[in-house]
Amino acid sequence: MSTLLISGARPLGGDATDVLVRDGVVTGIGTGLDAPSDVERLDAEGLVLLPGFVDLHTHLREPGREDAETIATGSAAAAVGGFTVVLAMANTSPVTDTAEAAERVLDLGRATGLVDVQPVGAVTKALAGEELAELALMHRSRAGVSVFSDDGRCVHDARVMRRALEYVRAFGGVVSQHSQDPSLAGSSACCHEGELSGRLGLPGWPAVAESSIIARDAQLARHTGSRIHVAHVTTAEGVEVVRWAKAQGIALTAEVTPHHLLLTQDRLSGYDPVFKVNPPLRPTEDVEALRAALADGTIDAVATDHAPHARHDKEHAFVDAAFGMLGLETAFAVVHDTMVRSGALDLAGLADRMSVAPARIAGLTGHGRAVEVGAPANLVLVDPDAGHTVDAAASKSLSRNNPWHGMSFTGAVHTTLLRGRVTARQGETP
């Protein structure tokens, strides 16, 4: 029997207490706990104890692009970032569109053992947007897939989306949509459409390309009685549609990325491809709308959209470079700085948006639980006062497309525990 005593931690930023963990489960909370003399001790004085973070949106690249990331390196980055589970997107090679492919991703994650890796299944075969993938078979497999997404591509055909929603309703699944109408924002669109895109000569990505798909999918979710999740909302227009849908009682949830909470389109002025991401960075007024929506619960969750790329895919002229940026290791710091230090959320609110809500959306009952007796010890200790500067070279990811390099933040992950086992401590994995 393994036993761990976490001493002096402050659950959700409250009063300091001790937490006893036996065989991966919280068995006691309080002072003067009865623990064996040989118990492993973890001094958490001055640290805040939160449920381990849950990422609804991670690209691990394996299989197919192990030059950019592997499940092992991505898991290490996730553990260092305070995550205990990540949902691995389906746009691998081959695509995760069969039960066998999903089980392969699950097994690779288990072999690494640093975080739980939960496969996301493709909505359509080969992400082609035409024929549904093996949704039910993936759900019934050992991987137990419940979230499906063609992320990177929009399921733009309304008939196909309707069929997917009807299909997943039978087993309580959810479709996560990349809301980008290809007739309004094509594959080359890489800059928010407006004065800046015109001045820089970059293909524009208008807000309506996002909001129109969110509105359509909300109506389809209402029609089918199914659940829709909106990946990486980026615009004030999109927020308003999400708010409207929720007011109508539609089963719609939404996420926002850390980079869309802080970075603006102004970063594109130097044509640095590290800032090329899809959806693109938006103007300040959209960033402000996203922060307000996350604070008031219109946006349910933070998701990283961690998108590693090999240098030979990213180091090109801006229009030719791959979309995406890293996010797992820095997510807590960015959200803490933008939302908690600003007063928009407290630490309990941060835990809700980064752990409780995403676990609920994905149906992950073993994660996102309150710090209470009987709960799995999937936990993270953070130091809200620790200042640090991001060094891209120190990343656990294989890739270096890190938009935060050289930026300073207050708030750092100290220790991550997966079922009571330390998987990361002060930036290092076992």
Side-chain angles (χ1 to χ4, degrees):
M1 178 181 289
S2 61
T3 307
L4 172 70
L5 181 65
I6 305 170
S7 59
R10 297 188 292 127
L12 300 181
D15 295 334
T17 189
D18 298 338
V19 177
L20 189 64
V21 177
R22 284 194 175 98
D23 286 346
V25 176
V26 176
T27 58
I29 300 175
T31 56
L33 296 175
D34 183 19
S37 58
D38 61 347
V39 66
E40 181 184 357
R41 296 178 182 272
L42 199 167
D43 182 6
E45 183 178 356
L47 302 179
V48 171
L49 184 64
L50 304 174
F53 303 140
V54 176
D55 191 12
L56 287 167
H57 196 146
T58 303
H59 297 275
L60 295 180
R61 304 303 186 205
E62 188 177 6
R65 287 306 306 268
E66 289 85 354
D67 57 331
E69 193 80 287
T70 67
I71 287 175
T73 59
S75 293
V80 166
F83 291 91
T84 53
V85 59
V86 298
L87 275 74
M89 283 291 161
N91 59 341
T92 49
S93 181
V95 172
T96 308
D97 56 5
T98 66
E100 292 79 10
E103 289 178 348
R104 175 62 174 160
V105 172
L106 179 76
D107 290 341
L108 287 168
R110 287 179 173 173
T112 298
L114 293 175
V115 297
D116 286 343
V117 177
Q118 176 60 42
V120 172
V123 177
T124 65
K125 290 184 178 180
L127 309 179
E130 298 174 356
E131 184 179 356
L132 292 184
E134 297 179 357
L135 308 183
L137 290 177
M138 284 189 278
H139 178 70
R140 292 199 297 266
S141 73
R142 287 187 294 107
V145 178
S146 291
V147 180
F148 301 88
S149 182
D150 279 1
D151 183 64
R153 302 183 187 181
C154 178
V155 182
H156 60 86
D157 187 310
R159 179 183 60 85
V160 173
M161 177 56 86
R162 174 185 174 177
R163 290 180 58 215
L165 289 168
E166 289 172 338
Y167 217 99
V168 302
R169 181 186 60 198
F171 50 81
V174 61
V175 176
S176 176
Q177 174 71 295
H178 176 112
S179 300
Q180 178 182 2
D181 186 330
S183 65
L184 296 171
S187 59
S188 64
C190 57
C191 181
H192 176 77
E193 185 176 278
E195 184 275 332
L196 183 67
S197 64
R199 177 161 54 85
L200 297 179
L202 297 175
W205 208 118
V208 69
E210 175 177 272
S211 59
S212 60
I213 293 293
I214 298 173
R216 185 205 71 177
D217 288 349
Q219 295 282 30
L220 289 173
R222 173 156 61 182
H223 178 75
T224 60
S226 193
R227 289 198 298 144
I228 188 74
H229 178 71
V230 184
H232 43 49
V233 179
T234 63
T235 64
E237 282 186 26
V239 166
E240 286 307 308
V241 178
V242 170
R243 186 173 285 119
W244 168 84
K246 290 191 168 190
Q248 300 299 308
I250 297 170
L252 180 147
T253 52
E255 70 188 38
V256 65
T257 72
H259 50 272
H260 286 114
L261 287 172
L262 180 56
L263 304 176
T264 70
Q265 64 173 359
D266 295 340
R267 298 277 179 166
L268 275 59
S269 295
Y271 295 100
D272 185 344
V274 77
F275 296 110
K276 183 181 179 182
V277 64
N278 188 11
L281 301 179
R282 302 290 188 179
T284 300
E285 54 266 31
D286 289 307
V287 172
E288 292 173 348
L290 294 172
R291 292 186 186 185
L294 185 64
D296 68 22
T298 299
I299 295 176
D300 303 82
V302 173
T304 70
D305 195 6
H306 176 84
H309 288 290
R311 297 182 70 169
H312 58 265
D313 289 325
K314 199 65 171 170
E315 295 181 355
H316 291 278
F318 193 90
V319 293
D320 298 321
F323 290 100
M325 52 182 62
L326 302 187
L328 284 169
E329 292 163 279
T330 50
F332 169 73
V334 175
V335 177
H336 182 264
D337 256 18
T338 57
M339 301 300 297
V340 177
R341 294 188 72 215
S342 69
L345 287 175
D346 58 13
L347 285 165
L350 180 146
D352 177 78
R353 307 306 194 270
M354 293 189 68
S355 181
V356 179
R360 181 179 65 247
I361 292 166
L364 301 172
T365 57
H367 295 269
R369 298 276 295 274
V371 183
E372 60 186 9
V373 173
N378 297 318
L379 305 167
V380 60
L381 287 160
V382 301
D383 185 342
D385 301 318
H388 60 101
T389 300
V390 177
D391 179 4
S395 175
K396 297 300 179 185
S397 172
L398 275 184
S399 295
R400 292 294 177 263
N401 53 312
N402 192 327
W404 315 106
H405 177 67
M407 295 181 65
S408 296
F409 296 97
T410 301
V413 171
H414 187 280
T415 301
T416 308
L417 300 104
L418 180 65
R419 289 180 286 279
R421 178 173 57 87
V422 172
T423 55
R425 182 175 292 173
Q426 293 184 296
E428 296 297 331
T429 55

